[in-house]
């Protein structure tokens, strides 16, 4: 299980490298060649000397124009020690592999993004021996995707958008379209992405909304935290909890729910039926769609 936004931001790049390079092209307009193959490399850059130097994620991208090393750093706040570390990483990796290294910094902080974007210049004023220019993905440039059709066109970018904006008030806006997009994605991949997104959501309400959106499409239940929730639900009455979840989803989505419908949902003791209603609640545009052919 991914335990922090720092880890989730770079780990999703390991799991979905093709989506990550597409995001570089789309967000930063970087003419990155289309990769034929990817490999996750050992991120440990320690030499014989007892000084540990480790990047967050290191990817090898094979393209028709050559091989590139994507050096991916997840950055929570300004750290002036990176001035030397990042220059070292790039120099060391080029010396070791003779492949072009590309430094990419991921952050949820606008202030950190502005700091990281500044070039690192080493050498004499006006005659620099080395210049490091990180590529930075942050809330400053990653689009906030709140349209369901757009989310379905690029699920990785939609997930990365939610993760990048996870600290801000706009995070909740993408959760519903992202949940709909994940419903069209292969189950294991969707479950993994759902966990990464959850780790990056800071707002408690947004995190709760995300858990509830994931429950009906059976992704959140793959999460070990969800198993705990399910165990607690068995003790307290899982039918009541599932019924309450259906109504919470409808309420959050702003769909008016008559008292007769609330009573029908609350008194239902069929877990399979409640699961069906929960799945429909994620996509329904009115309360009639909740019951489908069963009618209100």
């Amino acid at each position: 299980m991914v335990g922090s936004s720092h880890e989730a931001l770079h780990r999703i790049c390991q799991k979905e490298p093709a989506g990550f390079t597409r995001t570089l092209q789309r967000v930063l307009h970087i003419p990155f060649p289309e990769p034929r193959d990817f490999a996750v490399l050992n991120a440990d850059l320690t030499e014989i000397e007892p000084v540990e130097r480790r990047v967050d994620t290191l990817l090898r991208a094979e393209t028709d124009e050559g091989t590139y090393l994507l050096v991916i750093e997840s950055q929570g706040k300004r750290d002036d020690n990176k001035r030397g570390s990042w220059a070292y990483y790039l120099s060391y990796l080029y010396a070791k592999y003779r492949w072009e290294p590309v430094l990419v910094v991921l952050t949820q902080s606008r202030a950190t993004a502005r700091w990281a974007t500044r070039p690192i210049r080493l050498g004499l004023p006006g005659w620099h021996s080395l210049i490091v220019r990180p590529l930075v993905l942050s809330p400053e440039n990653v689009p906030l995707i709140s349209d369901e059709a757009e989310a379905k066109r690029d699920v990785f970018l939609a997930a990365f958008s939610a993760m990048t904006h996870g600290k801000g008030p706009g995070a909740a806006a993408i959760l519903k379209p992202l949940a709909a997009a994940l419903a069209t994605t292969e189950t294991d991949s969707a479950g993994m992405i759902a966990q990464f997104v959850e780790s990056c959501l800071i707002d408690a309400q947004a995190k709760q909304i995300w858990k509830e959106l994931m429950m009906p499409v059976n992704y959140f239940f793959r999460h070990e935290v969800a198993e705990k929730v399910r165990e607690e639900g068995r003790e307290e009455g899982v039918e009541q909890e599932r019924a309450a979840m259906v109504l919470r989803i409808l309420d959050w989505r702003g769909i008016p729910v008559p008292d007769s419908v609330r009573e029908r949902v609350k008194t239902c003791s069929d877990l399979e039926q409640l699961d069906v209603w929960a799945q429909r609640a994620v996509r329904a545009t009115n309360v009639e769609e909740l019951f489908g052919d069963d009618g209100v």
Side-chain angles (χ1 to χ4, degrees), residues 30-49:
I30 300 298
F32 196 91
E34 188 67 28
R36 296 190 309 270
D37 186 41
F38 291 97
V40 179
L41 303 182
N42 189 339
D44 192 343
L45 309 185
T46 306
E47 297 184 90
I48 296 176
E49 293 83 356

Side-chain angles (χ1 to χ4, degrees), residues 80-95:
D80 290 328
N81 289 329
K82 294 295 186 179
R83 175 180 170 86
S85 298
W86 287 343
Y88 170 84
Y89 295 165
L90 301 180
S91 300
Y92 173 85
L93 288 168
Y94 182 75

